[in-house]
Amino acid sequence: MKLLRLLGGFRFASQDTYRYMYTLVWLRSELFGITIRLSLLGAVLISFARDEWMTGFLFVLFAGLLALQLKELPKMHRHSDWSFIYPLPADLRARSARSIRFRIHTACMAVLAVPALCTMPEPLYAPGLFLIGWGVPYLYSIMRRES
């Protein structure tokens, strides 16, 4: 339950209903296994990379793959009638899905940043990679929301 609260960032309030639902959906679906496997595979490959360019490439590659997989999370229960019977604002569902996707992606990026920090010759390269790997999908989601 503590992991669920940490990832979801919710309290027992009506505005956190969809965040709770999407956190459970992620934990109980194949997306959980996919994100865990991609994060661990990326961490292992980054830890064996000896060149900073290869480390950067692997970091950005796995950041993109994780973002690509996690973009399917809001689509998981879009046709379920049960999620539409809650007397909640319509945009709360989309905001909650984005919030959970952002938190999961950030946690996965932190897992990838640890071996990158150990293998990069300059200690500031890993936080830079973290910002690039986290920022590009975030900016992409903002641009898609506006159009």
Side-chain angles (χ1 to χ4, degrees):
M1 190 67 172
K2 289 188 182 221
L3 175 66
L4 195 61
R5 281 193 181 162
L6 180 69
L7 280 175
F10 49 81
R11 305 164 307 281
F12 290 106
S14 61
Q15 68 265 20
D16 296 330
T17 302
Y18 287 122
R19 274 199 280 179
Y20 180 75
M21 182 187 80
Y22 278 116
T23 303
L24 285 178
V25 163
W26 176 70
L27 285 171
R28 294 177 179 173
S29 69
E30 67 273 358
L31 278 178
F32 176 74
I34 291 170
T35 54
I36 295 297
R37 279 186 233 120
L38 277 174
S39 298
L40 292 177
L41 179 65
V44 167
L45 289 176
I46 288 171
S47 66
F48 285 121
R50 295 293 167 225
D51 184 20
E52 65 251 10
W53 289 104
M54 182 57 80
T55 301
F57 172 75
L58 289 171
F59 190 92
V60 171
L61 174 72
F62 279 96
L65 288 173
L66 285 163
L68 187 67
Q69 291 298 319
L70 287 172
K71 89 173 182 167
E72 297 300 317
L73 183 65
K75 299 175 186 175
M76 294 298 271
H77 281 286
R78 66 178 172 212
H79 299 299
S80 173
D81 292 334
W82 289 104
S83 61
F84 290 103
I85 64 170
Y86 302 131
L88 297 169
D91 67 327
L92 181 64
R93 182 182 175 118
R95 281 185 296 150
S96 298
R98 281 193 306 268
S99 171
I100 293 301
R101 188 177 63 201
F102 173 75
R103 288 172 186 259
I104 293 168
H105 191 253
T106 303
C108 293
M109 298 306 301
V111 168
L112 292 175
V114 171
L117 184 63
C118 295
T119 59
M120 294 298 262
E122 184 68 35
L124 291 178
Y125 287 169
L129 281 175
F130 180 83
L131 289 175
I132 290 170
W134 171 81
V136 170
Y138 180 72
L139 291 174
Y140 177 74
S141 69
I142 289 174
M143 305 264 289
R144 292 241 348 175
R145 228 180 310 159
E146 291 175 356
S147 59

